[in-house]
Amino acid sequence: MEGTQEKRPDEKKKDQPEKPRFTWEDTKFTLAMAVVTVGFSIRTGDFPGALWATLRQVFVSVFYGFGTVFLFIGLTKKIFKYEATWVHIVKWAFALAALFAVSELMHEVFMVLTGQMPRPH
């Protein structure tokens, strides 16, 4: 029985890689980026139309964020030899979603101010 020693529970944990978890700072950052994304995605107009436009803009922003993150990871993972955890992916995606929402609103304001797009009602 000497060759079949069982590992103690604390030794089993050392062999397995630790699963990444959201820390309080990660959660705060993700929530802040989500608030920025929603805040800059709010559209005006009639209630049903404005609500639909806002939800569509939030969806597009988050979709763009995750799509861009997966694209960059796919292009650079072998080159730079890193392992992105799902915590990193979510944080990066929400940061890019906020950036997209802010830039989209700035673009629409520019279009309205230059007369290329009618003012919302």
Side-chain angles (χ1 to χ4, degrees), residues 16-49:
Q16 298 173 351
E18 186 175 330
K19 291 184 178 180
R21 297 187 182 270
F22 274 99
T23 63
W24 175 240
E25 288 78 23
D26 296 336
T27 305
K28 285 191 311 187
F29 177 80
T30 304
L31 285 175
M33 292 299 109
V35 167
V36 168
T37 302
V38 171
F40 281 91
S41 295
I42 294 175
R43 299 297 183 249
T44 60
D46 296 335
F47 179 70

Side-chain angles (χ1 to χ4, degrees), residues 46-97:
D46 296 335
F47 179 70
L51 180 63
W52 173 248
T54 300
L55 291 175
R56 187 182 58 162
Q57 183 63 33
V58 169
F59 173 75
V60 167
S61 296
V62 173
F63 182 76
Y64 170 80
F66 276 103
T68 305
V69 167
F70 285 126
L71 180 69
F72 280 131
I73 287 173
L75 291 173
T76 63
K77 189 173 180 179
K78 284 188 178 182
I79 296 170
F80 297 115
K81 296 180 175 71
Y82 66 90
E83 191 65 38
T85 64
W86 64 275
V87 174
H88 290 124
I89 292 171
V90 169
K91 283 177 58 177
W92 296 338
F94 273 89
L96 285 173

Side-chain angles (χ1 to χ4, degrees), residues 36-37 40-41 61 97-107:
V36 168
T37 302
F40 281 91
S41 295
S61 296
L99 177 68
F100 179 71
V102 170
S103 65
E104 182 67 23
L105 181 69
M106 289 173 40
H107 176 70

Side-chain angles (χ1 to χ4, degrees), residues 6-14:
E6 287 197 29
K7 293 183 180 180
R8 295 184 309 199
D10 58 342
E11 289 179 357
K12 288 181 184 178
K13 289 182 182 177
K14 290 179 185 176

